[in-house]
Amino acid sequence: MRWRPIDFFALLPVLTFSVSYGLTTDFKGFYHRLGVLCLDWAAPYMFARSVLRTPAALTRLLRSIAFSATLLAFFAVYECRMATRILALLWHQLVPTLDVLPHLGYWRWGFMRAVATFGEPIALGVFFATATLLACAWASIEPRRARAALFACTACLAGCIATLSRGPIASVVAVLLGYWAVTRKRWILVAVLLGIAAVAAPFVVDFAKRVLVDTQTDLTVSGNTSSGQYRLALFLIYGKSIADVSFFGDPTLVGAEYEQAWSLDNSYLYLLILGGWVGGGSFLGVLGVNLFRSGALVLRTEERRRKTYGALLAGHIAIVVSMTDVWFSPTFAPLFWLTMGLIAFPDDALGRGMGRPAHAGTTQRNTMSPGQRQSGSLRPLTQQTREM
């Protein structure tokens, strides 16, 4: 890959989080955290940047993700419908001494929430929400595989629903609608949605105020709150901690309010408390700059590339939105950085390759005569002359 200034900026949180952790622990904590973040954060980003050298490489990556996600979706739907951890049972049969059956208690609305190979249902839902949009990108960059990509997209949606995780399900539906409207230039739909949002805003604000009062009452009376109001309660519980978190964060605060909060299921709160204004602030800054820059590129790019790049950006937005509903788990953190790398410089692959087949390599000058073009021959004229 060819390093550019934005790449160094994008990987800045790797260093800032390591420094923050080292200052709150010791030098050993610094280089341990640096090694972990280089593997979990930096490596997926650099891998994605290296993939974006040719359209063929990007196509192979998207195809692999779609195939893997489709296979995983079958297991997820089976788990939800049949209430059986089939993958956990398989591992238990292969290695009887390995304890792989700890996650049997995830239930919602009378169904078992799928976890497959992930540690928790919501992390699996985040993966499927992102994979749905990456399958759309595969369909646009390789149109001859559009039916397979549509099947993968549908399977990922079904897998996301099988996790029964409200955050990822809502995010993938919203992002899919936005992607379809922007890439197809359905500005009337965009205007209608914005109008509905403007009309609904006062009612939403009033509802939010009532929920806030109910949540504060629950926390005061019982010390806890219901699952539906839990994410709002996190801001009330940890909001005061953000002001006291200092520049470099305080990892001990993450579990300090466990009796009230159970876990810190908001990635942005989690990162701010863990890394402080240096670590968490740099992460939010990198995220904001990349989203703004990529959004501007999508709106400016030509029609033949807008669908592919828009789907890559939508995949990243899906995981960004889902992160408001879950802590920044190492289970899906590499996927976040992978999608950030995919949207960093799309012209490296899409700018040179969107007009050609996905398997095309270097460009060839068209030196065929009109007669040869009519006969359907694709060999260069010079090669045919030598054969004659």
Side-chain angles (χ1 to χ4, degrees):
M1 59 176 287
R2 182 159 61 95
W3 284 93
R4 308 193 188 188
I6 192 66
D7 294 320
F8 294 100
F9 177 66
L11 296 178
L12 180 63
V14 174
L15 180 61
T16 57
F17 263 89
S18 301
V19 170
S20 295
Y21 191 72
L23 290 175
T24 55
T25 55
D26 52 23
F27 182 72
K28 186 177 180 179
F30 163 74
Y31 69 78
H32 278 177
R33 178 56 59 91
L34 182 62
V36 169
L37 295 186
C38 283
L39 290 175
D40 284 355
W41 294 9
Y45 179 88
M46 291 188 293
F47 172 74
R49 287 284 287 111
S50 65
V51 165
L52 274 181
R53 299 178 66 180
T54 64
L58 177 60
T59 302
R60 285 193 294 269
L61 173 64
L62 295 175
R63 188 188 302 150
S64 300
I65 293 175
F67 176 80
S68 303
T70 301
L71 183 62
L72 201 62
F74 279 108
F75 289 111
V77 173
Y78 183 90
E79 282 189 12
C80 181
R81 178 64 183 85
M82 303 304 294
T84 302
R85 303 287 186 208
I86 183 171
L87 291 177
L89 290 172
L90 176 62
W91 277 111
H92 189 65
Q93 292 295 324
L94 293 175
V95 188
T97 58
L98 187 63
D99 184 16
V100 291
L101 299 174
H103 303 296
L104 297 177
Y106 291 113
W107 292 85
R108 178 172 288 169
W109 306 322
F111 292 93
M112 178 179 281
R113 302 177 65 188
V115 297
T117 57
F118 286 65
E120 50 190 345
I122 193 168
L124 181 62
V126 172
F127 168 76
F128 280 132
T130 307
T132 301
L133 277 305
L134 295 183
C136 294
W138 175 34
S140 62
I141 199 173
E142 195 177 19
R144 63 193 182 94
R145 304 287 187 188
R147 289 186 177 179
L150 178 61
F151 180 80
C153 181
T154 305
C156 290
L157 277 173
C160 187
I161 294 172
T163 66
L164 303 179
S165 300
R166 292 162 293 196
I169 293 173
S171 68
V172 70
V173 171
V175 174
L176 271 175
L177 286 175
Y179 163 71
W180 181 81
V182 173
T183 55
R184 298 295 183 88
K185 291 186 175 181
R186 298 296 194 268
W187 302 119
I188 294 179
L189 174 62
V190 175
V192 169
L193 292 176
L194 291 176
I196 294 174
V199 172
F203 302 98
V204 173
V205 171
D206 182 65
F207 175 75
K209 288 180 179 179
R210 286 188 280 110
V211 171
L212 179 60
V213 172
D214 292 342
T215 304
Q216 290 173 325
T217 303
D218 289 344
L219 290 175
T220 302
V221 174
S222 62
N224 217 309
T225 187
S226 64
S227 175
Q229 300 173 356
Y230 165 60
R231 267 62 178 183
L232 177 59
L234 289 175
F235 289 95
L236 301 177
I237 297 169
Y238 284 102
K240 58 183 182 297
S241 301
I242 294 179
D244 303 328
V245 82
S246 76
F247 285 102
F248 300 104
D250 186 359
T252 63
L253 292 176
V254 174
E257 305 288 349
Y258 181 78
E259 292 299 326
Q260 281 189 301
W262 305 311
S263 63
L264 220 174
D265 280 330
N266 185 299
S267 293
Y268 306 108
L269 280 176
Y270 175 83
L271 292 170
L272 277 173
I273 290 176
L274 194 68
W277 295 109
V278 172
S282 64
F283 181 92
L284 294 176
V286 167
L287 177 61
V289 169
N290 273 279
L291 287 177
F292 178 81
R293 177 176 169 274
S294 301
L297 283 174
V298 167
L299 295 177
R300 291 202 311 265
T301 193
E302 57 187 294
E303 182 68 28
R304 64 187 182 129
R305 290 184 294 159
R306 184 180 293 115
K307 289 180 65 177
T308 301
Y309 187 35
L312 294 176
L313 176 59
H316 186 62
I317 292 175
I319 197 169
V320 167
V321 175
S322 299
M323 281 165 53
T324 60
D325 200 41
V326 62
W327 70 291
F328 199 56
S329 169
T331 310
F332 65 82
L335 184 62
F336 170 86
W337 292 99
L338 179 75
T339 55
M340 181 177 284
L342 290 176
I343 66 174
F345 280 96
D347 285 346
D348 287 357
L350 305 184
R352 295 191 300 268
M354 281 301 291
R356 300 177 300 167
H359 60 272
T362 57
T363 56
Q364 282 186 337
R365 184 178 298 173
N366 187 4
T367 56
M368 293 185 292
S369 65
Q372 289 166 328
R373 282 196 286 268
Q374 289 178 359
S375 65
S377 175
L378 297 179
R379 291 175 296 173
L381 177 61
T382 53
Q383 179 181 347
Q384 294 181 1
T385 305
R386 285 197 299 267
E387 292 177 358
M388 294 174 61

